[in-house]
Amino acid sequence: MRIAIAGCGQLARMLAIAGWEMGHHFSFIADPGESTDCVNGLGPVVVRHDNQTPADLYEALGYPDVLTVEKEHVSVPMLEGLSDHCLVAPSAEAIRICQHRGREKTLLQSLGIETAPFHLVDDAPSLVDAVTAVGYPAFVKSCEQGYDGQNQWRLRDSAALEALAPQMHALPPLVVEGAVHFDRELSMIAARSVSGEVALYPLAENRHREGILLTSEVPAAEVSAETEAQATQIAHRLLEHWSYVGVLSIELFDEGGSLRVNELAPRVHNSGHWSQDAGVASQFSNHIRAITDTRPGATQPSCYAGMLNLLGRTPDTALLQADDVSLHWYTKSVRSRRKVGHLNVQAPDREQLKKRLSELEAALYPEGEPL
Ligand code: AMP
């Protein structure tokens, strides 16, 4: 099939590499000025411009059978226009909801899925009321364009609120969340095919540094049957609500075994990269399978698997001379804090996995060194 991907970053790269193996052909949509290094050699790139009609874009992309996305910040009118020409998966509507924290949280609430307590605000008095209602610390996040901890403020006390209030006129619509006192952060990667077949990966346990994902491990330790069932129910509810097609990623807070959704991503996710080397169908393969109406492949690894992000770091060769480590390099230039690649590791037991991840982490990020 011919598959077009909106976006030219590392997720587009890994989707195309997985799809090439199955004989699919790719083209990519770049926003003006977007770097296309990651998808070099993987198919033609079309730069979007304002005067383009959906028919022009469809033609320039080589008449794809399916259009998919590697990021949620994609023009919804563009997706709607292209859906007159080909399958758009996930749908423009699912992407529209996930682009906006307010819409996303409102949907989760309407589906009976737990989130942090939240209020939507767009002026200074409602900000003060919302923070007063949720108490300190309060998390204030812009509804749009926030990721990896950007465009959000953690207010510890009323002085921090007073410092933010005068900027309100320049701030975008916000969601104010009460703090969740979670024990750990988990995520679930789910896939649903055009025909409605669903596959779920085991819950991953995620660790962040400076607001950016650093490691993921699967399966998450000590997950009770109730917690597993809650995660499964959340995934099914969302997938069925949208008749979703493709991979949906669900970021979760685990508070004593009870889950709340922090955020959704209508795409493959950094916390699912371990799946490339764990003897299962990777999240990239399963996304391509789902959107081409092929039954999802196996998602339950028989080993313990982990991923360590390369954040502004190139690993030296010695680190890669180990038979349990695989390098995935995105062919980007290296800059501080930038995701430029990741290492996947497999181990026969959890202790060994943790040991290997901490050895790799210590080698790449010596104590106290900033990202
Ligand atoms: P986000 O950009 O929403 O994924 O938030 C980035 C990180 O901030 C999360 O991974 C959490 O560690 C933390 N965080 C966000 N919202 C909350 C909350 N309501 N309560 C506690 N921690 C939070």
Side-chain angles (χ1 to χ4, degrees):
M1 278 194 181
R2 288 181 300 266
I3 301 174
I5 302 179
C8 300
Q10 65 263 21
L11 299 179
R13 173 187 179 80
M14 292 185 276
L15 284 167
I17 290 172
W20 270 104
E21 288 183 352
M22 295 176 230
H24 301 301
H25 292 274
F26 289 82
S27 54
F28 304 89
I29 305 176
D31 285 327
E34 180 176 349
S35 163
T36 60
D37 290 351
C38 290
V39 298
N40 247 340
L42 294 171
V45 175
V46 178
V47 180
R48 220 165 69 77
H49 59 81
D50 290 342
N51 306 326
Q52 223 164 24
T53 65
D56 293 340
L57 185 55
Y58 177 62
E59 184 185 339
L61 288 167
Y63 307 101
D65 302 292
V66 193
L67 174 96
T68 191
V69 301
E70 65 130 20
K71 57 184 177 184
E72 51 271 51
H73 294 291
V74 173
S75 155
V76 169
M78 177 189 85
L79 297 174
E80 288 168 344
L82 283 168
S83 63
D84 291 336
H85 299 274
C86 61
L87 172 67
V88 173
S91 68
E93 176 57 12
I95 292 165
R96 190 183 74 84
I97 300 290
C98 295
Q99 281 178 351
H100 189 279
R101 288 183 198 272
R103 289 198 283 263
E104 184 177 288
K105 286 204 152 48
T106 306
L107 172 74
L108 290 164
Q109 196 175 45
S110 76
L111 294 176
I113 297 172
E114 294 291 332
T115 63
F118 72 94
H119 297 267
L120 303 180
V121 310
D122 54 12
D123 59 28
S126 60
L127 173 65
V128 174
D129 290 348
V131 173
T132 308
V134 299
Y136 293 103
F139 287 77
V140 177
K141 305 178 181 178
S142 72
C143 285
E144 292 178 289
Q145 297 289 356
Y147 61 91
D148 289 343
Q150 290 180 0
N151 273 340
Q152 61 171 268
W153 302 265
R154 185 182 175 149
L155 306 185
R156 286 171 205 285
D157 50 29
S158 56
L161 172 61
E162 278 158 31
L164 192 62
Q167 302 171 41
M168 241 348 259
H169 65 280
L171 293 175
L174 300 169
V175 55
V176 174
E177 293 177 19
V180 177
H181 301 286
F182 56 80
D183 304 308
R184 57 181 176 171
E185 296 189 61
L186 303 175
S187 59
M188 171 161 269
I189 310 291
R192 184 177 178 278
S193 72
V194 174
S195 300
E197 286 150 321
V198 170
L200 306 178
Y201 289 90
L203 283 164
E205 189 165 336
N206 303 320
R207 211 156 48 78
H208 298 78
R209 191 165 149 195
E210 298 175 29
I212 308 177
L213 182 71
L214 185 62
T215 63
S216 294
E217 297 175 35
V218 283
E222 293 169 28
V223 175
S224 69
E226 291 74 27
T227 307
E228 190 76 51
Q230 193 193 353
T232 302
Q233 189 188 51
I234 291 170
H236 277 273
R237 251 182 224 177
L238 287 162
L239 294 172
E240 277 147 35
H241 169 75
W242 279 312
S243 298
Y244 192 91
V245 176
V247 163
L248 174 70
S249 306
I250 307 168
E251 293 180 23
L252 299 154
F253 293 140
D254 177 2
E255 208 182 1
S258 172
L259 302 176
R260 293 178 194 255
V261 172
N262 176 35
E263 216 180 356
L264 304 175
R267 55 171 171 79
V268 289
H269 193 262
N270 197 171
S271 68
H273 290 0
W274 61 269
S275 62
Q276 290 169 305
D277 297 289
V280 293
S282 75
Q283 62 166 346
F284 304 101
S285 295
N286 267 340
H287 183 73
I288 299 294
R289 289 168 75 125
I291 66 175
T292 56
D293 203 13
T294 306
R295 189 176 176 176
T299 51
Q300 301 299 316
S302 54
C303 61
Y304 288 78
M307 186 274 327
L308 172 69
N309 265 336
L310 298 170
L311 303 170
R313 298 286 195 281
T314 313
D316 65 38
T317 325
L319 216 56
L320 305 175
Q321 296 297 327
D323 59 11
D324 59 350
V325 175
S326 329
L327 169 67
H328 296 262
W329 185 251
Y330 309 152
T331 65
K332 285 165 140 180
S333 55
V334 179
R335 281 204 305 265
S336 153
R337 299 170 62 85
R338 191 177 202 202
K339 289 178 185 171
V340 290
H342 64 271
L343 300 178
N344 281 340
V345 194
Q346 303 80 45
D349 56 52
R350 190 179 303 287
E351 290 63 39
Q352 182 68 10
L353 178 68
K354 286 193 180 301
K355 178 170 171 285
R356 292 294 289 126
L357 282 172
S358 49
E359 284 167 1
L360 293 167
E361 185 179 333
L364 281 158
Y365 306 99
E367 197 71 47
E369 205 174 282
L371 294 177

